[in-house]
Amino acid sequence: MWIKVFQEIKFPKAETQDFYCINDYNQKISLLEKPVPYCGMPSVKLNTQNLTVVEGKTITLYCEATGSPSPTIAWVFNNIVSKHESDTNKNPASFTIKNVSSSDSGIQIYCIAENTVGEDQASVDLTVFFAPNITYLEIPYSDHHWCIPFSVRGNPQPVLTWLHDGAKLNESEYIWTKIHVTNRTEYHGCLQLDNPTHVNNGNYTLVAQNQYGKDEANVSAYFMEDPGEDYGTPTNDFEDTTNNSNQVTSTDVSNKDNEDSITVYVVVGIAALVCTGLVIMLIILKFGRHSKFGMKGPSSVISNDDDSASPLHHISNGSNTPSSSEGGPDAVIIGMTKIPVIENPQYFGITNSHLKPDTFVQHIKRHNIVLKRELGEGAFGKVFLAECYNLCPEQDKILVAVKTLKDASDNARKDFHREAELLTNLQHEHIVKFYGVCVEGDPLIMVFEYMKHGDLNKFLRAHGPDAVLMAEGNRLAELTQSQMLHIAQQIAAGMVYLASQHFVHRDLATRNCLVGENLLVKIGDFGMSRDVYSTDYYRVGGHTMLPIRWMPPESIMYRKFTTESDVWSLGVVLWEIFTYGKQPWYQLSNNEVIECITQGRVLQRPRTCPKEVYDLMLGCWQREPHMRLNIKEIYSLLQNLAKASPVYLDILG
């Protein structure tokens, strides 16, 4: 058949050249004149080009196939939620979906026919029409503009209407609805308010409607106090204390004398308030600057560099408070990295009250620190390998990593001391150990334990199948699955500890873990990863850098970071470990990654990853945060897998 087709294309009948076959009787048979028996390519035809159905209905798709020999027919599809059945014994074959779910919208269904000659296929997209469903509506937060975040599902696209205290909200250049992310039938966005005042306080209702129905949800919004509440009508007590001849009431406004009296009261009252405010301000300026840590609350402003989300972010009492954009003026420093502080009554920042009252930061003499070589440079200073003397009683000197602070401003120094007290309280076998500080002269120095093999990402790549040959011609030993599980178990143990301390990491990745001797792994970040691994971060608005490839949908869409978002990142870390340090979604651009994650797609199972481990990853990547595995559950599952037979775990290797 191949030769015949070739001949028909290359040599038209007008030409004399021909191909022949010789039969058992030594006769020539022209390929052009005699058909080849039992040799026909399959051909597939679907009964419809557009498969459209209303949610809850039943629909059947038919596929007719021709070819010789008769082809076999198969239906191929992904992730259909609804109950379905197929019949491929008949021609045409049928595929029936019962009680169609809205979650099936957009799924592609293939009919494939195959015989000994070849195969053919045809596909159709399933479109499901359904009534709107508001899946998310939260209290507003400040991010450039104030934003009331929402998520709505519906097909066709619902019309969105807002009510403010029951009355229709007329959108304008100051208040408008903005859709940030669209996923066919899902719409994620904000009601954006530009500099709202007390007038905008109240109850907001989102109404989503299309021809199949409507849904609505409410949220209360509070932006600022009503200034009129502080300067209302005088109370009876005040009126009783005034002279009767000069008494002014709200109803007695008919003559000019009373009007003058009102003017005097208002002017005098405002003047008194201004004077009082100036006195209080002078007192704060005088005494505040001599305080060791300043006022209780978020630390002082640092305005030099605007780096990405901090590696360690303290959420008091495990609050699920969303983060503001990282460009805001109020920030605290952890790990020499700037953290935004949202204006939210639930968020307490890192205050002195969160530190143990007996916190003692060890001070190390500068002459006891001998720098050896530079390890790298981050946004806030350089990191060096050094020898430190008289640090441990049992050793004369030990190798350490020292981090310097290049910004010597008063605010930076305050935050340096606050961070030192914070790190002193963070003590765990799988968190990089903090020894102390050196504050004699400049630069200010923090001293950490030295992890011999550097960051985990480089370590994984060096011990993977794609590692380059070493100078001596020997490749480093490739990590086994048992060793990978051992690494994962240690990181999970460190995250269990951070969660118990109500810390949210916000940037958990293999680049921010360090490897010591005997495959000891600890969580730690010297603030260099945003420079060394710049392609792992997505720059937003010129300043903010976000590790979107490690972030769940709610963190990408709403800047919401919680212990549950750390669980998502831990799942990505597991994927990194079992791919020997590959970048998640390495084949996609940052914008494509955002689209994939917000549409609900997840990373594929690594080739050498056991099914049990991939199931654990999927448990970390549930779209709804409350549906994800608990951090303690993850640690327990990894422990059990690590104890399992190596033969059983390595069977797919």
Side-chain angles (χ1 to χ4, degrees), residues 493-512:
M495 293 307 296
V496 168
Y497 171 75
L498 288 181
S500 72
Q501 301 298 304
H502 307 297
F503 275 85
V504 177
H505 192 292
R506 305 206 325 171
D507 195 10
L508 181 63
T510 56
R511 64 180 172 272
N512 289 330

Side-chain angles (χ1 to χ4, degrees), residues 454-457 491 508-515 521-524:
D455 76 72
L456 177 57
N457 187 266
I491 296 172
L508 181 63
T510 56
R511 64 180 172 272
N512 289 330
C513 299
L514 299 171
V515 186
V521 179
K522 299 189 178 188
I523 299 169

Side-chain angles (χ1 to χ4, degrees), residues 140 148 163-165 197-205 219-223:
I148 300 179
L163 305 178
H164 180 211
D165 289 335
T197 68
H198 65 282
V199 175
N200 303 107
N201 294 345
N203 191 53
Y204 285 79
T205 303
V219 66
S220 293
Y222 182 83
F223 302 102

Side-chain angles (χ1 to χ4, degrees), residues 18-273:
D18 196 0
F19 289 95
Y20 297 91
C21 289
I22 308 297
N23 67 7
D24 293 339
Y25 304 102
N26 206 30
Q27 295 172 323
K28 287 184 177 181
I29 300 172
S30 171
L31 284 180
L32 285 176
E33 296 174 359
K34 185 177 179 65
V36 179
Y38 303 109
C39 196
M41 279 283 290
S43 177
V44 168
K45 183 179 180 182
L46 292 172
N47 68 319
T48 181
Q49 300 298 316
N50 298 303
L51 193 60
T52 304
V53 63
V54 177
E55 183 179 25
K57 300 292 185 182
T58 296
I59 193 168
T60 301
L61 180 64
Y62 293 96
C63 174
E64 185 176 6
T66 59
S68 181
S70 294
T72 58
I73 303 175
W75 294 99
V76 177
F77 48 86
N78 284 324
N79 302 323
I80 288 187
V81 175
S82 306
K83 186 177 180 181
H84 53 274
E85 57 186 34
S86 60
D87 185 358
T88 55
N89 295 322
K90 298 178 182 178
N91 194 357
S94 63
F95 183 76
T96 301
I97 308 174
K98 299 180 179 180
N99 192 19
V100 178
S101 167
S102 61
S103 300
D104 296 329
S105 191
I107 288 175
Q108 217 168 18
I109 302 171
Y110 291 86
C111 176
I112 300 176
E114 184 178 10
N115 63 12
T116 54
V117 185
E119 73 170 40
D120 188 27
Q121 67 178 33
S123 67
V124 64
D125 287 331
L126 175 61
T127 300
V128 182
F129 290 133
F130 58 97
N133 177 26
I134 301 171
T135 58
Y136 183 88
L137 186 64
E138 276 286 344
I139 60 172
Y141 65 90
S142 180
D143 186 2
H144 302 299
H145 303 284
W146 278 88
C147 162
I148 300 179
F150 65 83
S151 294
V152 178
R153 299 180 70 248
N155 192 24
Q157 181 175 353
V159 175
L160 303 181
T161 307
W162 291 91
L163 305 178
H164 180 211
D165 289 335
K168 183 178 179 181
L169 180 68
N170 294 318
E171 297 190 20
S172 66
E173 59 181 314
Y174 301 105
I175 303 177
W176 70 99
T177 302
K178 184 173 182 180
I179 304 294
H180 294 295
V181 181
T182 301
N183 172 20
R184 292 186 181 178
T185 60
E186 294 187 18
Y187 307 91
H188 309 282
C190 285
L191 177 65
Q192 302 208 157
L193 300 96
D194 191 1
N195 296 320
T197 68
H198 65 282
V199 175
N200 303 107
N201 294 345
N203 191 53
Y204 285 79
T205 303
L206 173 60
V207 180
Q209 186 169 8
N210 63 17
Q211 60 260 48
Y212 297 99
K214 76 173 184 178
D215 191 18
E216 61 181 57
N218 299 285
V219 66
S220 293
Y222 182 83
F223 302 102
M224 64 162 47
E225 293 182 9
D226 182 353
E229 293 176 358
D230 296 329
Y231 307 106
T233 304
T235 65
N236 290 334
D237 291 339
F238 173 77
E239 290 172 359
D240 289 340
T241 60
T242 58
N243 189 298
N244 288 335
S245 61
N246 295 323
Q247 185 172 334
V248 178
T249 66
S250 58
T251 57
D252 187 11
V253 291
S254 58
N255 61 62
K256 188 175 185 302
D257 292 338
N258 285 340
E259 290 177 359
D260 292 342
S261 299
I262 292 172
T263 304
V264 170
Y265 277 125
V266 171
V267 171
V268 171
I270 292 176
L273 284 169

Side-chain angles (χ1 to χ4, degrees), residues 481 575 578-579 602-615 617-618 621 649 651-653:
Q481 287 186 358
W575 186 92
F578 280 86
T579 57
V602 296
L603 293 160
Q604 292 183 342
R605 174 178 168 183
R607 183 178 60 84
T608 60
C609 177
K611 181 180 182 300
E612 294 83 358
V613 178
Y614 187 62
D615 287 343
M617 294 181 199
L618 294 177
W621 297 333
L649 287 173
I651 197 166
L652 295 175

Side-chain angles (χ1 to χ4, degrees), residues 180-184 186 188 538 548 553 556-557 585 588-602 623:
H180 294 295
V181 181
T182 301
N183 172 20
R184 292 186 181 178
E186 294 187 18
H188 309 282
Y538 178 61
I548 56 165
I556 292 175
M557 294 186 289
W585 307 103
L588 301 180
S589 68
N590 284 325
N591 286 326
E592 289 171 332
V593 171
I594 291 173
E595 186 175 353
C596 280
I597 293 174
T598 55
Q599 285 180 355
R601 291 179 58 187
V602 296
R623 186 175 184 87

